Amino acid sequence: MVSKVYFVDFKSLDAKESTVLKIKKLFDKAGFKSLMKEGDLTAVKVHFGERGNDGYINPVYVRQVVDKIKEAGAKPFVTDTNTLYIGERHNAVDHMTVALEHGFNFAVLNAPTIIAGGLKSGSSTPVEVNLKHFKQTKIATDIVQADSMIVMSHVKGHPMAGFGGAVKNLAMGCATAEGKKDQHSLRPEVDQDKCVGCRKCSKVCPAGAISYETKKAFIDKTICIGCGECVHECPVEAISVSAEKEMENFVERLTEYAKGAVTGKEGKVGYINFLVKITPDCDCFPYSDRAIVPDIGILAGTDPVAVDKASIDLINAQEGFENSRLEHHCHAGEDKFTGLRPNSKGMVQLTYGEKIGLGSQEYELVKI
């Protein structure tokens, strides 16, 4: 089945072509009004961004979607879930503080913000999926109880998922901490020859699984929760997930959770992907690296696989920036995300997503 994906670029010559008006036009052209009914409690799923990061979607853009939802007679709330890793968004108090600092407040959004899943991610609802890795997923209760949802995603790279778009926003973004732990289940190993004993990895380990009995890092796999924070933090790349199959399984688990996030909301979810400031790493990092390609535009549709596939195709069609972290596959037509990370399994989100009925990779791009 071919899904329609609607697209606007960032070219604007006058006020009638402003980005905020283009977002509203996308909402209308994609038929999002039909996804909700009068009185619906409609979740607007975003990423509030880690403190120090500036790649998250501009809250002014989110406001345009909120206003369109209200025009449709529904009741929007803007939401995200707490993180598994120890950072500035590990609990709802700190998370809301960061969200407010980043402009996600009622004055800007015209809607309340809710950290789905509760104060310490304890509010979870099991959603049955009966798939290869999971029989059921653990989705934040506030998202499960929402009548409809618009998922707004900033497309960028990711160290383990390959890239982050609509599918990842559903999967990690809608799961509680326990659900995030289910998806990761990675067990990194330390190359003792490379380890310099700096102890940076132990400082970010939320499970206390790393010790230094020989002045080198050692990961206790019976304690490790598989969040992968140590892999990101190691300055000498001494920590890694070695098995290629393990990475593929991780992306499959992530994709099954995306399926869980929308189960029960068939015909009630819309997706908007922002191809702007396309950075090598996700918005969970407390910084934003230089973009790898130029800003492209915004896409919308009702099929997360199709919207992500169109996003990847548009990104790969670009010429990569010099002096960015993109060292390979820099030319137009080349895969930018495997250029960043040769062992990336990001496309499994799409191939496996199609296999389990999350969506279709076949799409028609409609430029408006």
Side-chain angles (χ1 to χ4, degrees):
M1 177 181 175
V2 178
S3 300
K4 285 190 176 181
V5 177
Y6 298 86
F7 171 73
V8 294
D9 61 30
F10 285 122
K11 294 176 183 176
S12 296
L13 298 175
D14 57 46
K16 293 179 181 179
E17 296 180 333
S18 69
T19 301
V20 294
L21 290 180
K22 287 181 178 181
I23 292 169
K24 291 183 175 182
K25 186 179 290 187
L26 268 179
F27 189 101
D28 292 336
K29 292 289 186 180
F32 285 170
K33 182 178 180 181
S34 67
L35 304 177
M36 55 202 70
K37 63 180 187 299
E38 183 99 18
D40 265 11
L41 298 178
T42 303
V44 180
K45 175 63 185 73
V46 300
H47 190 305
F48 293 134
E50 189 71 14
R51 181 178 283 125
N53 186 289
D54 58 10
Y56 53 86
I57 296 170
N58 188 329
V60 173
Y61 296 166
V62 180
R63 167 66 180 263
Q64 311 314 310
V65 172
V66 165
D67 288 348
K68 293 301 294 185
I69 291 170
K70 286 189 171 185
E71 282 182 25
K75 300 177 180 180
F77 65 95
V78 182
T79 191
D80 196 4
T81 58
N82 291 329
T83 61
L84 174 61
Y85 63 84
I86 296 174
E88 301 296 332
R89 300 179 301 120
H90 189 60
N91 64 71
V93 174
D94 292 339
H95 199 165
M96 274 300 303
T97 301
V98 172
L100 292 169
E101 289 175 358
H102 288 175
F104 293 92
N105 56 60
F106 199 97
V108 176
L109 298 173
N110 195 26
T113 51
I114 295 174
I115 304 301
L119 188 66
K120 297 182 178 180
S121 296
S123 181
S124 177
T125 297
V127 177
E128 289 191 9
V129 291
N130 294 312
L131 294 168
K132 176 180 173 182
H133 298 281
F134 301 113
K135 296 300 180 187
Q136 61 179 215
T137 55
K138 300 165 187 171
I139 306 300
T141 298
D142 299 324
I143 288 173
V144 173
Q145 291 184 344
D147 300 303
S148 48
M149 181 162 63
I150 301 296
V151 180
M152 302 183 69
S153 306
H154 168 221
V155 181
K156 63 281 176 190
H158 189 274
M160 293 184 293
F163 70 88
V167 173
K168 186 176 180 296
N169 196 0
L170 286 173
M172 290 293 175
C174 293
T176 55
E178 285 298 315
K180 291 176 170 67
K181 191 186 300 183
D182 281 349
Q183 293 174 67
H184 281 91
S185 297
L186 298 168
R187 298 297 180 263
E189 296 180 349
V190 180
D191 184 329
Q192 297 292 310
D193 292 332
K194 287 185 177 181
C195 178
V196 295
C198 66
R199 297 178 180 256
K200 289 184 177 182
C201 55
S202 64
K203 292 177 182 177
V204 299
C205 178
I210 304 176
S211 60
Y212 294 86
E213 294 177 7
T214 62
K215 296 185 179 181
K216 302 274 190 173
F218 171 77
I219 300 173
D220 187 337
K221 294 186 180 182
T222 65
I223 301 174
C224 174
I225 62 174
C227 67
E229 286 303 299
C230 57
V231 178
H232 306 157
E233 192 68 19
C234 181
V236 294
E237 298 183 351
I239 307 175
S240 63
V241 179
S242 58
E244 186 173 328
K245 187 63 178 176
E246 180 125 18
M247 293 304 295
E248 185 171 330
N249 285 338
F250 162 71
V251 181
E252 286 185 355
R253 290 193 295 268
L254 178 150
T255 308
E256 289 186 6
Y257 254 80
K259 178 76 169 177
V262 297
T263 296
K265 287 186 175 59
E266 291 76 12
K268 303 287 283 181
V269 186
Y271 304 90
I272 305 177
N273 275 10
F274 285 77
L275 308 189
V276 56
K277 198 165 188 177
I278 302 160
T279 53
D281 299 315
C282 67
D283 298 340
C284 293
F285 281 56
Y287 58 83
S288 293
D289 196 0
R290 184 181 180 184
I292 59 172
V293 296
D295 293 347
I296 300 169
I298 312 169
L299 302 99
T302 56
D303 180 334
V305 174
V307 172
D308 274 0
K309 181 64 164 63
S311 298
I312 299 305
D313 288 347
L314 286 170
I315 291 169
N316 287 341
Q318 307 301 308
E319 193 73 18
F321 280 144
E322 292 184 7
N323 301 318
S324 72
R325 213 189 310 170
L326 186 66
E327 297 181 356
H328 307 285
H329 299 180
C330 300
H331 299 302
E334 296 181 321
D335 188 330
K336 301 302 185 291
F337 295 109
T338 57
L340 281 171
R341 299 176 175 95
N343 297 322
S344 168
K345 297 294 180 182
M347 293 303 290
V348 173
Q349 294 181 54
L350 308 183
T351 56
Y352 189 60
E354 189 169 50
K355 182 177 179 180
I356 65 175
L358 183 60
S360 170
Q361 291 191 77
E362 295 187 54
Y363 67 90
E364 175 191 352
L365 192 66
V366 181
K367 297 181 180 181
I368 60 174

